[in-house]
Amino acid sequence: MIRFAKRFIKMLNMSKKPTLQTVAQKAGVSIPTVSQVLRGTGRISAKTQKKVMDAAKALHYVTDGRAASMRSGQTSEIGMIIHYIANPFNAELISGVSDTLEKEGYLVSILDSQDNVERQQRNIEAFIRSSRGALLWVPATNTPHDTLDLLNTHNLPIVTFLRGAYEGIFDHVGIQNEAATSCATEHLIHLGHSKIAYFGGVGASETRIRRVEGYEKALRANGLDYSLVWDAKDDKVSGLEAMLSLREKHPEVTAIVCNGDVVALGASHALRRLGEVPGKSFSIVGFDDIQDASTATPPLTTIAIEPYNFGIKLAQVLINRLKNPKSPTATTLLPFELKIRATTDVPIADNS
Amino acid sequence: MIRFAKRFIKMLNMSKKPTLQTVAQKAGVSIPTVSQVLRGTGRISAKTQKKVMDAAKALHYVTDGRAASMRSGQTSEIGMIIHYIANPFNAELISGVSDTLEKEGYLVSILDSQDNVERQQRNIEAFIRSSRGALLWVPATNTPHDTLDLLNTHNLPIVTFLRGAYEGIFDHVGIQNEAATSCATEHLIHLGHSKIAYFGGVGASETRIRRVEGYEKALRANGLDYSLVWDAKDDKVSGLEAMLSLREKHPEVTAIVCNGDVVALGASHALRRLGEVPGKSFSIVGFDDIQDASTATPPLTTIAIEPYNFGIKLAQVLINRLKNPKSPTATTLLPFELKIRATTDVPIADNS
DNA sequence: CAACAATGATATATCGTTATATCAATTGTA
DNA sequence: TACAATTGATATAACGATATATCATTGTTG
């Protein structure tokens, strides 16, 4: 059961706000007539239309979406719940989604769950309370079943993305995580590395599990038995610190496959601080291809996923779902590309 | 006059959605009773309260905010319009705002105007239509008067931020732009630079005008007559390219005061590409102190503004406004700090 | 014990729209 | 000319909640 928000905004000066009533009076017609003109039903004469439009414009009339939505059972508001807004990959993705959906007349609100299930629950309740008509969702790690019950009761169209925890139940737009890290790992193996670690991420999010699987699969396929997963939170400073401790505790490791470009760049920075040269003494493969990946020194070898395009694709999948509510759920996996730049090379033993 | 959004979402399966009616029936009480229990008016007996709460929980009831808001004249939804979401400074700022306001029970929706006045107009209309109760706003460059008319008609509490175009009219939370760039410029002058350019930004946004003024004021105060403003869009690649062309066309310039860290880092990268060393052959001062500023090579001398704290402060100013609707409008300027790192030094002529 | 206040629950009107049904005025056809 | 069909506008009910007024039922007091 949901309690109300603690604080409310008392709307000021309600008297000033124009309504259909106000416009109808000024135009000298009835309320339904104004409503029809504004919605463009085409059942009103040109002369009356002009009168109404003029009045509405003069009064700066804007439809009250709450009333309209309540009566018509339709809405143009879409909610999005993501685990971390400020990450540059996600921020670009959000831009792609918003631009596409706004162009179609929708309004997107974004909430940051911080990958926390209680916060996610509150976010979903907030969206239901505010009558969002659809949801774009990155499910938080260990989402409880109660959350699904809530979503199911209120029955809104949902597209999950990035994390494929509910493929088949909802539409999904994702990344070929397993294939991508396999590809990255094989790239390092072909260069001659045998002590390769998986670097970055924390805990068992869907995405990370898949990526680690891809990494391990590539190791197995090439008969390598050394395997190591090293945690690091998803920011540059954490990547830097984790790399320093990795070098100290596991000097045998000569290459890492990273959970994201941000930690990869942090790791790269750590190497330079240790007087090493990324790509020479040690190889690094990133993930995401954020803008900084190509402009960093040295430029980062990474898995490229274009976040803005991902956002566009995600928006399109949602639009499709809304147009065809009855169609079966589908999963869309976007392609990736391994961009080989300067942070990967043959291991130093073979090199010297 | 505002037309409706082009597309709507037809809400499915309305029958399943629980309402006060449903809960009242299950609990065996009247609708107003349920409403009172859920709002916690305290006028209902403990025994009845329990019956109602149990029923509501079992049905996964969530209040319909549209109906509640329409009837009560109160809302907990806040809109935010910013010129660019994906910029890391802004993304962090947004996190600060959202976290603070969510904690207080508000729901924040963010729209990206892309500093385009038509798009901004549509954004504002969307927010009015969707009955946001307050607005956090970075006014787009050259905002027309019609936009202000619209805002004025619908009369919602507004706090502008970053760009102080409407100080006195609305509450404002900003940066001491002029003082900050003056400080940065004087730092360079004291090091011995005399050919200093202002670098980055495009067009005449409020913020940029103030910053350029601060730069020029410092030049005048120190009797320097060389002055140059060099455009660059606010991303790293544009900063890189602009720097290359600046070096080519104005080799006399030995230092730049930047409009933001992102372009400053691009410029720094361009120097390295030219075989120069930022801080040795050429000095750079950034603006914002984003995370990358301190971890870059070399670490960037910059004006520090903590975006997350800025967001918190902004949220607090809004909360204050909502609590005291009648209080006079106020402007809050957050302090800055010049962080001297490695990209500024005495000019090369004196150095060699 | 009558009169009155306090308590707990309910009846009713209302917020601003849109959907449906209705009605008046106009046009077309036999 | 009469009657149906069409067009243009309106009257009315409903969406789901809350505010206000009301109504029983208790408990209190002189």
Side-chain angles (χ1 to χ4, degrees):
Chain A
M1 202 285 318
I2 313 311
R3 299 303 223 98
F4 289 93
K6 279 168 244 153
R7 301 220 150 276
F8 290 105
I9 302 165
K10 170 150 272 152
M11 297 199 258
L12 312 165
N13 216 345
M14 300 290 288
S15 56
K16 267 181 104 175
K17 192 181 157 204
T19 68
L20 284 186
Q21 163 89 5
T22 331
V23 178
Q25 247 164 31
K26 181 161 180 116
V29 297
S30 73
I31 290 175
T33 302
V34 177
S35 176
Q36 292 207 57
V37 170
L38 298 183
R39 278 177 297 148
T41 59
R43 303 186 51 76
I44 306 292
S45 71
K47 191 191 292 178
T48 311
Q49 282 198 29
K50 181 160 171 20
K51 277 195 300 188
V52 170
M53 296 292 244
D54 289 350
K57 184 170 266 173
L59 294 166
H60 289 284
Y61 173 78
V62 177
T63 300
D64 187 323
R66 297 169 301 186
S69 159
M70 221 186 353
R71 181 61 242 256
S72 69
Q74 304 186 309
T75 181
S76 59
E77 293 218 43
I78 290 167
M80 172 162 161
I81 297 177
I82 194 165
H83 55 291
Y84 185 29
I85 288 184
N87 169 306
F89 181 88
N90 293 344
E92 276 295 325
L93 188 161
I94 289 168
S95 284
V97 169
S98 302
D99 290 354
T100 311
L101 288 177
E102 276 171 41
K103 222 169 279 165
E104 294 275 324
Y106 296 108
L107 181 58
V108 188
S109 323
I110 301 121
L111 290 176
D112 189 331
S113 69
Q114 295 179 343
D115 211 14
N116 170 317
V117 293
E118 284 90 20
R119 196 169 155 141
Q120 171 178 268
Q121 183 81 6
R122 286 198 301 276
N123 290 342
I124 292 174
E125 285 169 5
F127 276 153
I128 292 173
R129 195 166 40 235
S130 317
S131 304
R132 297 299 184 271
L135 194 54
L136 299 170
W137 182 34
V138 181
T141 311
N142 300 319
T143 295
H145 200 271
D146 198 48
T147 301
L148 286 181
D149 282 351
L150 180 63
L151 287 173
N152 195 47
T153 306
H154 292 83
N155 199 57
L156 25 78
I158 292 172
V159 181
T160 61
F161 62 106
L162 292 178
R163 295 183 183 167
Y166 303 109
E167 293 173 63
I169 302 176
F170 305 125
D171 286 324
H172 180 69
V173 179
I175 292 171
Q176 299 177 22
N177 284 309
E178 205 176 313
T181 47
S182 269
C183 171
T185 309
E186 297 218 317
H187 166 57
L188 292 169
I189 293 172
H190 292 336
L191 285 172
H193 293 271
S194 58
K195 303 273 195 282
I196 305 170
Y198 188 85
F199 184 89
V202 181
S205 78
E206 240 291 313
T207 305
R208 193 175 183 229
I209 290 170
R210 297 274 174 99
R211 292 186 184 177
V212 169
E213 270 169 14
Y215 151 78
E216 286 174 341
K217 199 170 128 194
L219 295 180
R220 276 198 307 277
N222 289 274
L224 295 179
D225 56 355
Y226 186 93
S227 144
L228 176 67
V229 175
W230 203 251
D231 286 2
K233 277 202 312 189
D234 187 25
D235 63 79
K236 208 166 163 181
V237 172
S238 301
L240 191 152
E241 287 163 357
M243 186 63 179
L244 293 176
S245 76
L246 174 67
R247 286 307 272 156
E248 190 189 325
K249 295 194 182 137
H250 292 276
E252 73 279 8
V253 172
T254 63
I256 54 176
V257 174
C258 294
N259 197 55
D261 280 352
V262 176
V263 285
L265 291 172
S268 177
H269 189 71
L271 279 182
R272 286 204 307 279
R273 180 178 290 184
L274 291 170
E276 303 185 54
V277 180
K280 286 298 161 203
S281 63
F282 193 96
S283 289
I284 299 174
V285 184
F287 206 115
D288 290 342
D289 196 28
I290 62 177
Q291 206 186 25
D292 282 353
S294 54
T295 59
T297 24
L300 187 69
T301 294
T302 192
I303 303 281
I305 310 273
E306 228 291 87
Y308 191 86
N309 286 337
F310 187 107
I312 292 176
K313 185 69 203 173
L314 175 57
Q316 286 168 344
V317 167
L318 177 61
I319 290 167
N320 247 315
R321 162 64 47 205
L322 296 173
K323 281 185 185 151
N324 310 47
K326 301 288 179 194
S327 64
T329 61
T331 289
T332 312
L333 292 182
L334 296 188
F336 64 89
E337 187 189 348
L338 178 66
K339 297 218 167 176
I340 300 175
R341 301 206 181 95
T343 57
T344 49
D345 205 340
V346 294
I348 196 148
D350 305 23
N351 202 19
S352 54
Chain B
M1 202 283 318
I2 313 309
R3 300 304 222 94
F4 289 91
K6 280 168 243 150
R7 303 220 149 276
F8 290 103
I9 303 165
K10 170 150 274 150
M11 296 198 259
L12 313 166
N13 216 347
M14 300 290 287
S15 56
K16 268 180 102 173
K17 193 183 159 204
T19 67
L20 284 187
Q21 164 89 2
T22 331
V23 178
Q25 247 163 30
K26 182 163 180 110
V29 297
S30 74
I31 290 176
T33 302
V34 177
S35 177
Q36 292 206 58
V37 170
L38 298 184
R39 279 178 295 148
T41 58
R43 302 186 51 74
I44 306 292
S45 71
K47 191 190 295 179
T48 310
Q49 282 198 29
K50 181 159 172 20
K51 276 195 300 184
V52 170
M53 295 292 243
D54 289 350
K57 184 171 267 174
L59 293 167
H60 290 284
Y61 173 78
V62 177
T63 300
D64 186 324
R66 296 168 303 184
S69 159
M70 220 183 0
R71 181 61 243 257
S72 69
Q74 303 187 309
T75 181
S76 59
E77 293 218 43
I78 290 167
M80 170 161 162
I81 297 177
I82 195 164
H83 56 292
Y84 186 28
I85 289 184
N87 169 306
F89 181 88
N90 293 343
E92 276 295 325
L93 187 159
I94 290 169
S95 285
V97 169
S98 301
D99 289 355
T100 311
L101 288 177
E102 276 170 43
K103 222 169 280 168
E104 295 274 325
Y106 295 108
L107 181 58
V108 188
S109 323
I110 302 122
L111 289 177
D112 189 332
S113 69
Q114 295 180 343
D115 210 13
N116 170 317
V117 292
E118 285 89 19
R119 197 169 154 139
Q120 170 178 267
Q121 183 81 6
R122 286 198 302 276
N123 290 342
I124 292 174
E125 285 170 7
F127 276 152
I128 292 174
R129 194 165 42 233
S130 317
S131 304
R132 297 299 184 270
L135 194 55
L136 300 170
W137 182 34
V138 181
T141 310
N142 300 320
T143 294
H145 199 270
D146 198 48
T147 302
L148 286 181
D149 281 351
L150 180 64
L151 287 173
N152 196 47
T153 306
H154 292 81
N155 200 56
L156 27 76
I158 292 172
V159 181
T160 61
F161 63 105
L162 292 178
R163 295 184 183 166
Y166 303 110
E167 293 172 63
I169 303 176
F170 305 124
D171 285 325
H172 179 70
V173 179
I175 292 170
Q176 299 178 23
N177 283 308
E178 204 175 313
T181 48
S182 267
C183 170
T185 308
E186 297 217 316
H187 166 58
L188 292 170
I189 294 172
H190 293 335
L191 284 172
H193 294 271
S194 59
K195 302 275 196 283
I196 304 169
Y198 188 85
F199 184 88
V202 181
S205 79
E206 241 288 315
T207 304
R208 193 173 184 230
I209 290 170
R210 296 274 174 97
R211 291 186 184 177
V212 170
E213 269 169 13
Y215 152 78
E216 287 174 340
K217 199 169 128 193
L219 295 180
R220 276 197 307 277
N222 289 274
L224 296 179
D225 56 356
Y226 186 92
S227 143
L228 176 67
V229 175
W230 204 250
D231 286 3
K233 278 202 312 192
D234 188 24
D235 63 78
K236 209 166 162 184
V237 172
S238 302
L240 191 152
E241 287 163 358
M243 186 62 180
L244 293 177
S245 74
L246 174 67
R247 285 308 272 158
E248 190 189 324
K249 295 194 181 134
H250 292 277
E252 74 278 8
V253 172
T254 63
I256 55 175
V257 174
C258 293
N259 197 55
D261 281 351
V262 176
V263 287
L265 291 173
S268 177
H269 189 71
L271 279 182
R272 286 204 309 278
R273 180 177 290 185
L274 292 170
E276 302 186 54
V277 181
K280 285 300 159 200
S281 63
F282 194 96
S283 288
I284 300 174
V285 184
F287 205 115
D288 290 343
D289 197 28
I290 63 177
Q291 206 187 25
D292 282 352
S294 54
T295 59
T297 21
L300 187 69
T301 294
T302 192
I303 303 281
I305 310 274
E306 228 290 89
Y308 192 86
N309 286 337
F310 188 107
I312 292 176
K313 186 69 202 173
L314 176 56
Q316 286 168 342
V317 168
L318 177 61
I319 290 167
N320 246 316
R321 162 62 48 205
L322 297 173
K323 280 184 184 151
N324 311 49
K326 302 288 181 194
S327 64
T329 61
T331 289
T332 311
L333 293 182
L334 296 189
F336 65 89
E337 187 190 346
L338 178 66
K339 297 217 166 177
I340 299 174
R341 299 206 181 95
T343 57
T344 48
D345 205 341
V346 294
I348 196 147
D350 307 21
N351 202 17
S352 56

